[in-house]
Amino acid sequence: MSLVSQCRWRLIKASQSQWLTTEERNQVLVDLKASGWTELPSRDAIYKEYIFKTFNQAFGFMTRVALQAEKMNHHPEWFNVYNKVQITLITHDCGGLTKKDVKLAQFIEKAAASV
């Protein structure tokens, strides 16, 4: 096996370890939907919008999420205007929702609750 093939195989194997089983997916989606996350119909991703009292609260929240995302090496798609933060989570290298997205969504929920 060539070096390139070995690298691809390792990347695929690492990505697969993050995929959700059908049972895991069904359970986490129930929990995430209960806290306001929605599935995006056009993508295998989840989305939520947060509204804070002020821009400073929104920015502080985003800073906390950014620091955690950097630690996880898993970065959200997001958009911010004044006190509103819109977040989409998807694992691009896997082409869909994974354990990384669930873990980050759970952190995001805790971060939002502490603002």
Side-chain angles (χ1 to χ4, degrees), residues 45-56:
I46 55 174
Y47 169 87
K48 186 167 180 183
E49 180 175 293
Y50 294 88
I51 298 178
F52 300 93
K53 290 181 182 176
T54 65
F55 173 75
N56 283 343

Side-chain angles (χ1 to χ4, degrees), residues 89-100:
L89 297 178
I90 183 171
T91 304
H92 294 99
D93 58 346
C94 292
L97 193 65
T98 67
K99 293 174 185 176
K100 281 184 167 186

